[in-house]
Amino acid sequence: MSNKIDFQPKLFELFRNYSKADFSTDLMAGIIVGIVALPLAIAFGIASGVTPEKGIITAIVAGFIISFLGGSRVQIGGPTGAFIVIIYGIIQEYGIEGLTVATLMAGILLVLMGVFKLGAVIKFIPYPIIVGFTSGIAVTIFTTQIADVFGLTFDGEKVPGDFIGKWLVYARHFDTVNWWNALVSFASIFIIAITPKFSKKIPGSLVAIIVVTLAVYLMKAYGGITSIDTIGDRFSIQAQLPEAVVPALDWEAVKNLFPVAVTIAVLGAIESLLSATVADGVIGDRHHSNTELIAQGIANIVSPIFGGIPATGAIARTMTNINNGGRSPIAGIVHAGVLLLILLFLMPLAQYIPMACLAGVLVIVSYNMSGWRTFLALMKNPKSDVTVLLITFFLTVIFDLTVAIEVGLLIACVLFMKRVMETTEISVIRDEIDPNKESDLEVHEEHLTLPKGVEVYEINGPYFFGIATKFEEIMSQLGDRPKIRIIRMRKVPFIDSTGIHNLTNLCVMSQKENIHIILSGVNDKVHKVLERSGFYELLGEDNICSNINEAVAKAWESVGKE
């Protein structure tokens, strides 16, 4: 394995054969994606507990860096719904400064993941975990939007951050429903849902925001309806890029925020690589996963310095880019430029967008994220997968994503080890070995006869801590005391410390009972591990045989001496 850092931005690879025609299609795709990203960036920013322009700043800064340095040709980066719950929780507990520190740390972790070539490892996170917390996030996002969908007022009562607490408060104050707000939300949802039937190019969220914002403006100006909140009623919008500010790092805050930073990094890595993999399947390309992680990390280091929030690859915007002809990172760079122009020259118009309309946009986002068809399909899978799915889902909804990811990964690891244990077999042979079933016999005999009092223990699979315990259990169940035990390890790809400890104990106990131990078919990798551990000093080098023939011959020799 090379020690060289795997950093190969796709932009520099593609420039060798880039043409004017390619630029034209990328330019058009970038403009469309930039327009699509606008309402989502504003909605994600507000839902996360920050101001609308911070969502756009994230899409500009992080989107540019992810396209410029990333390992995917078509990945579009920016704020996503997956981070809403985490960001909101951090701001509630640690403020904006805490969010900046957590995002910076997550960025550093992502860079380290890429440097240490963990891009391929991230892909092996079990699918039920990904579906579980994605569906859980969708339910949580939907829950956070109920107040704006129905225009609820809470008479000074603070809405708690947890799922159950929110619904209890909603239930107590549901008599305060503002039906004008509800009408705006439902109209927005309806427009977003039907737009694809008329146009695949124009995003429904943009159509809804333009139509509904204009309608609400006319209702306020000429209909005297003033009870519909807009962005301008709640936020003061700054139409400019803020100055770069590096936060002061407090050691206590760093320690407290580290688990959250790990969650942001893991979630960002999973979402970005999942998005890049989906894109590869559509355009017939192959992304550089480690390069993508490094780019994501740099984006999350730079973005918070300019007031941004965590960012990652966005599947919906990436697919929009592909569907509109984008085939290089230039489209993503153009998308960031379009958003910058909108921020500088058109952002004041955003103050007229109704909050209920943005809530409708996020209701659709949560529905699309939920993947309920996939969720139901996974419920028919083996019980272990269903268990991981449901536990991850309910932990995400009832507690938070940090707990869900930690517990979900732990359960997945335990189930993986359990499955490895189930596939690793330990068999006992006492009489003869059939050469027709053996691959390491060098003689052509009908059978290989074992001397009386000799037992062969065949281990088929990795010899790690779970199997070591299983091996001990089989030995104790047999309860006999042979003269010689041949432990056949030709199908053992690796051995860990517990396996070595188990073998050492077996040799010590056997020596006390005058039972001779012989190892057979140890591969080079396992051989080196046993040699470094000092195991051979206890067993003796002459009791390590390259194949079963040598081991059985040595057993006959030992029996003959007695």
Side-chain angles (χ1 to χ4, degrees), residues 137-352:
I137 291 167
V139 171
T140 308
I141 292 173
F142 175 76
T143 300
T144 61
Q145 297 309 302
I146 294 299
D148 281 332
V149 166
F150 292 100
L152 303 180
T153 54
F154 303 106
D155 302 323
E157 183 177 355
K158 187 176 179 181
V159 180
D162 64 289
F163 175 81
I164 295 174
K166 272 189 172 68
W167 281 104
L168 290 174
V169 171
Y170 293 160
R172 284 199 296 271
H173 295 274
F174 208 75
D175 57 344
T176 65
V177 170
N178 179 335
W179 290 109
W180 283 113
N181 261 58
L183 179 63
V184 168
S185 292
F186 294 149
S188 302
I189 292 168
F190 177 74
I191 292 170
I192 296 169
I194 65 166
T195 298
K197 297 182 184 301
F198 301 100
S199 173
K200 299 290 184 184
K201 299 281 187 181
I202 304 173
S205 56
L206 183 65
V207 174
I209 283 179
I210 293 173
V211 171
V212 173
T213 300
L214 184 60
V216 169
Y217 177 79
L218 294 173
M219 287 162 65
K220 281 190 171 187
Y222 302 103
I225 300 168
T226 59
S227 60
I228 304 172
D229 277 358
T230 62
I231 290 177
D233 294 328
R234 297 193 193 177
F235 300 98
S236 175
I237 297 174
Q238 304 293 321
Q240 61 184 33
L241 275 175
E243 294 182 3
V245 178
V246 179
L249 295 178
D250 174 68
W251 178 239
E252 282 300 315
V254 169
K255 284 195 299 183
N256 292 335
L257 287 166
F258 184 74
V260 183
V262 171
T263 301
I264 294 173
V266 171
L267 185 59
I270 293 170
E271 192 166 2
S272 64
L273 295 183
L274 182 64
S275 173
T277 302
V278 170
D280 285 350
V282 177
I283 65 173
D285 192 48
R286 190 172 181 180
H287 72 280
H288 302 313
S289 57
N290 296 313
T291 301
E292 187 65 23
L293 288 180
I294 293 172
Q296 297 284 343
I298 295 171
N300 280 287
I301 291 170
V302 178
S303 173
I305 292 175
F306 287 94
I309 58 179
T312 184
I315 294 178
R317 274 157 277 171
T318 298
M319 291 306 298
T320 301
N321 182 32
I322 294 169
N323 293 336
N324 286 281
R327 287 299 180 271
S328 87
I330 294 295
I333 292 171
V334 170
H335 133 271
V338 169
L339 286 171
L340 177 60
L341 293 174
I342 291 172
L343 174 68
L344 296 177
F345 301 108
L346 299 177
M347 197 59 192
L349 295 176
Q351 65 181 312
Y352 299 108

